[in-house]
Amino acid sequence: MSNMNNKVKKVLKLACLEAGKIILKNYGKKKNVKSKGNNDWVTNQDIIIEKKIIQIIKKTFPDSSFIGEETGFSNARSNITWVIDPIDGTNNYIHDYPFFCTSIGVLINNKIQYGACLLYTSPSPRDGLLSR
């Protein structure tokens, strides 16, 4: 496995696990919720997690571009783009229904190369499959 593969997978795993810490800290607690549209919600945790994921990625891949569900598109004119959904299933998270996930995809030269998902099916997260 190449050095790039190892770096990407390490960052994906770290970002998902750090997201999980924030999610679990707030699971079962009252959440500050705002509407983005018809049945489309965002919590403070969505925004905090997405910013944390970007911060983690930038430590290893500082020139990356990002497409975030909450923060939008940032183009660093890089060949690496990270696609982030900090809490996929926010409505479930809001209601403490334990079926949601943190999803991160990686495009290299506009082609999907990697993805990670940390699935929450109980109050404890389970590691998702890191694959290429």
Side-chain angles (χ1 to χ4, degrees), residues 71-124:
T71 58
F73 180 72
S74 69
N75 185 359
R77 302 212 185 271
S78 170
N79 68 330
I80 301 175
T81 302
W82 302 76
V83 182
I84 305 165
D85 190 345
I87 304 176
D88 189 359
T90 299
N91 198 39
N92 287 348
Y93 178 68
I94 290 166
H95 295 96
D96 297 322
Y97 179 70
F99 194 76
F100 48 89
C101 65
T102 297
S103 302
I104 308 170
V106 184
L107 289 81
I108 299 177
N109 297 321
N110 295 319
K111 293 184 181 177
I112 297 171
Q113 297 293 319
Y114 302 91
C117 179
L118 185 63
L119 178 63
Y120 308 91
T121 57
S122 71
S124 297

Side-chain angles (χ1 to χ4, degrees), residues 11 14-15 18 51-60:
V11 168
L14 177 62
E18 289 299 313
K51 287 179 179 178
K52 180 69 173 179
I53 290 170
I54 291 169
Q55 178 186 45
I56 289 167
I57 293 166
K58 282 186 172 183
K59 285 181 183 175
T60 305

Side-chain angles (χ1 to χ4, degrees), residues 25-71:
K25 180 180 174 185
N26 294 284
Y27 187 82
K29 296 180 181 174
K30 183 173 169 58
K31 294 153 187 85
N32 185 352
V33 180
K34 295 180 183 170
S35 175
K36 297 191 300 183
N38 188 21
N39 202 30
D40 192 10
W41 310 100
V42 62
T43 66
N44 284 351
Q45 288 77 31
D46 283 286
I47 296 164
I48 291 167
I49 291 166
E50 190 165 307
K51 287 179 179 178
K52 180 69 173 179
I53 290 170
I54 291 169
Q55 178 186 45
I56 289 167
I57 293 166
K58 282 186 172 183
K59 285 181 183 175
T60 305
F61 299 98
D63 297 327
S64 294
S65 296
F66 297 92
I67 301 172
E69 182 175 3
E70 311 310 336
T71 58

